[in-house]
Amino acid sequence: MIAPDQLSDPTVRAFVTAVNAGDRSAFHAVLTPDATMSDDGSDRDIAQWADREIFSSGGHMDVEKESDGGLALIVNYRNDTWGEMRTAWRFITDSGRISRFETGQA
């Protein structure tokens, strides 16, 4: 596993750290105001998705590996709703913030 503080991309590092800390403010601060996301190929509302999949269900990311300069991750993701699953995450960044992320089963 790769510790969050060892991730290559500082923006992705901040995202993973915020998720693992359950820190809503830090999570939203790392996103651009018009950020978008998809889960298993379907676009979702970030605020609703994050509340359900991260904050109200104890979401946690254990990063297995990274590629594409740290903008692509393979993660063992777990929460109280779904348990643990192997997921892929892709990030698009803009000026130090995430403008889009895509996640789904790996």
Side-chain angles (χ1 to χ4, degrees):
M1 294 298 151
I2 302 170
D5 64 351
Q6 298 299 307
L7 293 170
S8 300
D9 185 274
T11 307
V12 172
R13 183 182 323 131
F15 180 94
V16 172
T17 300
V19 168
N20 288 352
D23 187 336
R24 287 177 197 264
S25 295
F27 176 84
H28 289 289
V30 78
L31 302 174
T32 62
D34 60 347
T36 61
M37 60 96 42
S38 72
D39 184 1
D40 283 329
S42 297
D43 278 6
R44 307 282 187 208
D45 176 275
I46 291 178
Q48 291 175 0
W49 182 89
D51 183 60
R52 183 179 62 252
E53 300 293 337
I54 300 171
F55 302 114
S56 67
S57 61
H60 189 86
M61 302 173 79
D62 288 323
V63 180
E64 186 178 306
K65 68 179 185 176
E66 64 177 356
S67 58
D68 193 21
L71 296 176
L73 305 177
I74 298 296
V75 171
N76 290 322
Y77 186 80
R78 68 180 180 273
N79 67 24
D80 297 339
T81 304
W82 305 108
E84 186 167 317
M85 65 191 87
R86 192 166 190 254
T87 56
W89 297 72
R90 274 198 99 33
F91 298 90
I92 298 170
T93 59
D94 179 17
S95 302
R97 294 171 84 187
I98 294 167
S99 60
R100 180 167 177 84
F101 68 91
E102 300 172 349
T103 185
Q105 295 201 34

